[in-house]
Amino acid sequence: MDDTTRLLETVGQMAGGIAHDFNDLLAAILGHVEMLSGDLAPGDPRAADVNGIRHAAERATTLTQQLLAISRQQVLQPTVLNLSDVVDRARRLVQRVIGDQIELITCTPRDLRPVKADADQVEQILLNLALNARDAMPRGGRLTLQTRNVDIEDAAAQRQGNPPGAYVQLTVADTGIGIDPAIRKHLFEPFFTTKEPGRGTGLGLATVYGIVKQSGGHIAVESERGRGSRFDVYLPVTLEAPAVAEPPERRSRAERASETVLLVEDDVAVRSLIGDVLRRRGYRLLVAEDGVQALKLADEHASPIHLLITDVAGSAGPDASVADAVRARRPETRVLYLHKPFTPDALARKVRAALASHIW
Ligand SMILES: Nc1ncnc2c1ncn2[C@@H]1O[C@H](COP(=O)(O)OP(=O)(O)O)[C@@H](O)[C@H]1O
Ligand SMILES: [Mg+2]
C-alpha cells in the first residue's frame, strides 16, 4: 500500500464513521422539521425559518452521502450490468452536463463482458468525470466515453499493484488542459481542488475513487499538459448470470412513477435536465420559468399536483413565495426545494422521499 492509498484509507474511515452518526442526527432533525412544519398554519411567517432548517439539513445529508461514498460505506445495490448499456443510457445526460461546446463521442461495443456494479453509482462516476472534463475544456473540445474488454496480465498488473484478471474498462477522456504532474498524486484526496472556492469542492474524484474501490475495481489516470487527460476505470468481470431479464427501462429497482410534478426553474439548462430526469422515471411534468407562470399552470391544471419543485428564491409576486402561493391553492401539494448542484439520482431520491412523506 503506498502513502496515498494509506492516507485515503484513513481519511475515508474517519469520514465514514462521522457520516454514519451525522446521517442519524440529520434524519432526526429532518423528522422534527417535518412535524414542526406540519403544525404551522398556511401562511405562518415562521415557515421560512423552518424551511431554512430543512434546507440546511438536506444539504448536510447530501454531503454525508458523499462522505459515505468516499469512505466506501455506501449501501450499494449491485446488479449484473453491461457497461455499454449504462454509458448509452447516460449519454444524453452527459451531453447536457458538458454543454454543446464540447463534442461527445461514445464507443460502446455490444460484446462487452458483464460486471457487477450499482448502475446509479456508475452513472455517478461518469457524471463526476464528465464534469471535470468540462471544467478542463473551457473553450470546448472533445469528450470520449469508451468501454472495452481488457485482460490485465500478471506482470503489468503487479507493476501497478492491481490483481491480474479479466476486466471491463470504462474510459473518460478529454482534450482539455491536462493535469500537472506535480499534483497527480493528490487528485483523489478528499477536498483536493485546484478550482477557485465555489467552483470546486475537491470531492468529485474522491467520490469516484470510493465507488470504484467499493465495487472491487481500480482507476488509472494518464495526462499530458495542454493535450488532455484520460481516466480509466477497471471493473472486474463477473461470472454471475444476470438475475432476471433486465427490463429495458433502467429504473428496475423502483416502480415507475406516475405523479404530477410542477417544476419552477428560471435556468433553461437546469430546467430541461430536471425535466429529462423526472420524465425518464415516469413523472408527469408541468414546467414553468417563473412563479407567475407556475401559478397560471397550477390554476389551469384540473388534476392533482403532487409535488412542487422550486428553489427557495422562487417568488410569485413581491411578497409571496411560489411555494406559499401554490399551497394556498392546493394544500395537498408537497414542496421540494431544489439545491444545486444535484445528481439525477439524488434528485430522484429526493422527489420520491418528498412524495412519500405523509406530513408536509
Ligand atoms: N479531466 C481533468 N482535467 C484536468 N484536471 C482535472 C481533471 N479531472 C480532475 N482534475 C484535477 O483534479 C482536481 C480534483 O478534482 P475533483 O476531485 O473532481 O474536485 P473538483 O472538481 O471539485 O476540483 C481538480 O480540481 C483538477 O485540478
Ligand atoms: Mg470535480
Side-chain angles (χ1 to χ4, degrees):
M1 211 180 351
D2 62 21
D3 286 349
T4 307
T5 318
R6 219 186 317 273
L7 177 69
L8 288 176
E9 296 277 339
T10 312
V11 174
Q13 273 161 21
M14 279 177 55
I18 297 169
H20 274 302
D21 288 342
F22 269 90
N23 249 356
D24 292 345
L25 294 171
L26 287 165
I29 293 174
L30 281 167
H32 289 298
V33 166
E34 290 308 321
M35 305 225 266
L36 198 57
S37 68
D39 287 343
L40 296 181
D44 190 310
R46 289 169 299 179
D49 288 330
V50 173
N51 279 330
I53 299 173
R54 190 204 326 262
H55 210 127
E58 281 171 358
R59 276 183 58 188
T61 305
T62 309
L63 202 60
T64 51
Q65 219 57 51
Q66 218 154 9
L67 289 176
L68 284 174
I70 291 170
S71 59
R72 303 170 223 167
Q73 299 185 29
Q74 269 197 121
V75 182
L76 296 186
Q77 304 205 19
T79 55
V80 177
L81 292 175
N82 180 328
L83 286 187
S84 285
D85 292 344
V86 179
V87 171
D88 289 344
R89 283 195 293 251
R91 194 180 197 286
R92 266 158 54 97
L93 203 60
V94 170
Q95 180 72 70
R96 214 169 284 257
V97 160
I98 60 178
D100 46 20
Q101 292 295 317
I102 295 171
E103 182 191 5
L104 177 61
I105 293 176
T106 51
C107 178
T108 49
R110 291 295 99 208
D111 64 345
L112 212 62
R113 296 179 291 198
V115 299
K116 194 163 184 198
D118 183 315
D120 290 333
Q121 298 301 315
V122 175
E123 186 175 272
Q124 184 76 60
I125 291 174
L126 275 172
L127 282 175
N128 283 355
L129 295 178
L131 279 169
N132 283 343
R134 179 200 64 189
D135 291 346
M137 299 185 284
R139 266 168 273 116
R142 190 170 62 240
L143 176 68
T144 308
L145 308 179
Q146 185 171 5
T147 51
R148 58 191 183 113
N149 297 320
V150 292
D151 290 305
I152 299 185
E153 309 291 341
D154 297 55
Q158 259 142 31
R159 257 201 315 281
Q160 297 171 355
N162 294 314
Y167 290 87
V168 174
Q169 180 192 48
L170 170 64
T171 302
V172 178
D174 65 61
T175 57
I177 54 175
I179 299 169
D180 188 335
I183 66 164
R184 189 77 66 86
K185 66 175 200 284
H186 301 298
L187 286 183
F188 296 103
E189 289 169 12
F191 305 112
F192 175 80
T193 180
T194 57
K195 296 168 195 175
E196 53 200 74
R199 277 203 57 79
T201 60
L203 290 177
L205 287 180
T207 305
V208 168
Y209 186 89
I211 298 171
V212 170
K213 283 290 167 180
Q214 203 182 346
S215 310
H218 57 269
I219 182 166
V221 191
E222 273 175 56
S223 181
E224 204 179 320
R225 289 194 69 187
R227 315 260 337 229
S229 313
R230 76 180 264 169
F231 288 78
D232 291 306
V233 172
Y234 296 88
L235 295 180
V237 168
T238 182
L239 298 174
E240 239 177 85
V244 227
E246 284 263 320
E249 183 58 50
R250 54 167 312 192
R251 298 286 123 189
S252 45
R253 79 170 69 148
E255 72 280 27
R256 261 182 93 66
S258 59
E259 290 93 342
T260 301
V261 175
L262 172 56
L263 167 66
V264 194
E265 168 61 50
D266 59 349
D267 184 290
V268 59
V270 179
R271 204 159 60 221
S272 68
L273 171 62
I274 297 175
D276 225 42
V277 168
L278 295 182
R279 276 194 207 99
R280 261 186 10 184
R281 285 162 170 85
Y283 294 99
R284 276 172 227 211
L285 238 53
L286 303 170
V287 182
E289 278 175 40
D290 54 33
V292 178
Q293 213 180 63
L295 289 187
K296 194 159 169 281
L297 281 176
D299 287 340
E300 286 165 2
H301 189 76
S303 322
I305 296 176
H306 301 91
L307 182 70
L308 167 72
I309 302 183
T310 170
D311 58 24
V312 263
S315 68
D319 48 24
S321 76
V322 192
D324 290 342
V326 169
R327 268 192 188 153
R329 292 163 161 78
R330 296 171 173 260
E332 78 288 354
T333 301
R334 293 180 180 119
V335 177
L336 176 65
Y337 293 99
L338 188 64
H339 304 288
K340 293 165 221 163
F342 54 84
T343 65
D345 229 23
L347 175 70
R349 264 200 310 273
K350 283 195 179 154
V351 166
R352 240 317 101 229
L355 286 166
S357 64
H358 291 294
I359 351 165
W360 49 269

